[in-house]
Amino acid sequence: MTDNLSRRGFFRQASGRGDVRRPPWTGDDFTDQCTRCNACIDACPEAILIRGDGGFPEIRFDVNGCTLCGDCVAVCEEAVFDTARPAFPWHASIQSHCLALAGIHCQSCQDACDYNAIQFPPRLGSAPRPELDTDACVGCGACLPACPNNAIALEVANG
């Protein structure tokens, strides 16, 4: 089974799809425990959980971020979720093609961030530049659809 998962990962990378993102508060054993009942997908008020590869729930931040409401946890009858762990293993990363880094006044990501992880301190004589507090970032993805230049990525936190 490990070989199949490795092959799947290889082909996912080759197709440009990248890593699959799972619902909040889940771990590496998610696919071993999830019964693919769709209860969490149906319960998600932001509609960011979708039925993905193999019928397992995946999270997509195309339109919304995760509000960490816990509705997915509340409806799950399996031991899939562990709210004692961080919600997500990733955090936001601001890429070099950010409009604000090019001197264009844009603070869309800050406006979308409920955790104040992205700030734009004033700068004398130029547009403010984003500063990201990775300790404050919960990885909710709210900043992704807000960015007009797709200049924010989610990266797995080290440590």
Side-chain angles (χ1 to χ4, degrees), residues 94 98 100-101 104 106-111 118-123 127-131:
I94 299 169
C98 167
L101 294 177
I104 298 168
C106 178
Q107 298 180 7
S108 298
C109 56
Q110 174 183 273
D111 297 341
I118 303 172
Q119 297 289 315
F120 285 79
R123 294 180 63 194
R129 298 171 61 96
E131 290 183 3

Side-chain angles (χ1 to χ4, degrees), residues 23 30 34-51 55-58 69-78 80-81:
F30 178 78
C34 177
T35 62
R36 299 175 271 191
C37 70
N38 288 343
C40 62
I41 294 171
D42 296 339
C44 182
E46 289 83 26
I48 59 173
L49 293 180
I50 64 161
R51 187 173 180 86
F56 292 104
E58 296 179 11
C69 68
D71 288 359
C72 54
V73 178
V75 299
C76 185
E77 295 181 6
E78 303 300 320
V80 172
F81 296 93

